[in-house]
Amino acid sequence: MSDSAQSPAPNLAKVPVTIVTGFLGAGKTTLISHLIRHAAGRRLAVVVNEFGTLGVDGDILKGCAIPDCPAENVVELANGCICCTVADDFIPTVEHLLAMTPRPDHILIETSGLALPKPLLKAFDWPAIRSRITVDGVIALADAEAVAAGRFAPDLAALAAQRAADPGIDHETPLSEVFEDQLACADIVLLTKADLAGPEGVAAARATIAAEASRPVPVVELVDGVIDPAVILGLNAAAEDDIAARPSHHDGEDDHEHDDFDSLVHETAEIDDPATLVARIETLARDHDILRVKGYAAVRGKPMRLLVQAVGARVRIQYDRPWRMDEARRTTLVVIAEHDRIDAATIGAVLNG
């Protein structure tokens, strides 16, 4: 038998990649956790991009790892927005995943809530990887309750009045630009937390998305990230070949900055009362325009670690696992807001009480 007959044929099929985008707290990690648990025999790999320095989302996903997606297949990129660190972080990470034995059948990329998906799409044309992977689809998650409340669709009449008073005010907020760019790049939009929004809220959110989207796109409602993987995996969109049909506010720019947003890590000792921490986070959102708080708290007398996830004034807490013997029992929270709303002294004073 010849050597060529003995050697296995190389796998020339491109590995499909699904990009999961969406605003802060829209439910990306919850969705990917569901996909991991319902992989149906697919060997998955996950790339998680954090905005901030604490790998909360990656830790959550590694905690639900199964044989089809072992913990080593979950890779965190915590050095900044994935669309700004393509050469330094993203390309080497993809090459690492493609070199695994066995090779992943499908790669999921959870972008930062502040990432623009289009620059990431362009990275798939890099010579090092373009012949080996393809963008199966871009999935944009939108929080039905938040969209229905108009947080991503500015009141045009109010803006006109503000402009009349101050011509220097831009017609769009940074948050709306991010939201619109994510919609414009999407192959399908998942309207999350539909149960919290209710029928009227869902209808309002759908109307907003239809008005803001640059092209017709399917919108699917879901709760707690539960969806048949067949709906969003295997789209075969080859989105990297369809970039021109996905307009962006930043088209024509060589790159973009995230100076509109900033984050800090607040660390403190054990806390006495989770309810007090929740109230303080609600105060940050209400009085200081904080967008997102996430992390872990050590509660005095409790052996379990408290997971904290807050989107605006909506705060969710749950005990997720016991503290390990080698871990310091400390409270560590990432706080994210628009740049001029991040003030370490103020945030620290509110969280410490």
Side-chain angles (χ1 to χ4, degrees), residues 256-299:
H256 75 282
E257 300 294 335
H258 283 306
D259 292 342
D260 293 321
F261 305 98
D262 206 349
S263 68
L264 61 79
V265 177
H266 174 82
E267 290 192 272
T268 187
E270 294 180 326
I271 65 172
D272 292 310
D273 180 22
T276 299
L277 176 62
V278 168
R280 291 171 180 173
I281 293 173
E282 290 171 344
T283 297
L284 281 179
R286 183 181 64 249
D287 298 342
H288 302 285
D289 298 324
I290 298 304
L291 300 172
R292 185 88 161 93
V293 178
K294 59 181 179 177
Y296 306 106
V299 182

Side-chain angles (χ1 to χ4, degrees), residues 76-92:
E76 296 174 69
L77 301 181
N79 297 326
C81 171
I82 194 171
C83 56
C84 301
T85 60
V86 166
D88 294 336
D89 288 329
F90 176 65
I91 301 299

Side-chain angles (χ1 to χ4, degrees), residues 205-225:
R206 282 180 170 274
T208 297
I209 290 169
E212 298 292 349
S214 59
R215 57 196 169 102
V217 61
V219 178
V220 178
E221 300 165 29
L222 76 163
V223 175
D224 294 332

Side-chain angles (χ1 to χ4, degrees), residues 186-201:
D187 293 291
I188 187 169
V189 174
L190 299 184
L191 202 54
T192 65
K193 305 173 189 174
D195 55 331
L196 299 178
E200 291 185 1

Side-chain angles (χ1 to χ4, degrees), residues 264 284 288 290 335 337-349:
L264 61 79
L284 281 179
H288 302 285
I290 298 304
V335 181
E338 293 189 42
H339 182 74
D340 60 357
R341 306 306 295 171
I342 288 286
D343 180 80
T346 299
I347 291 168

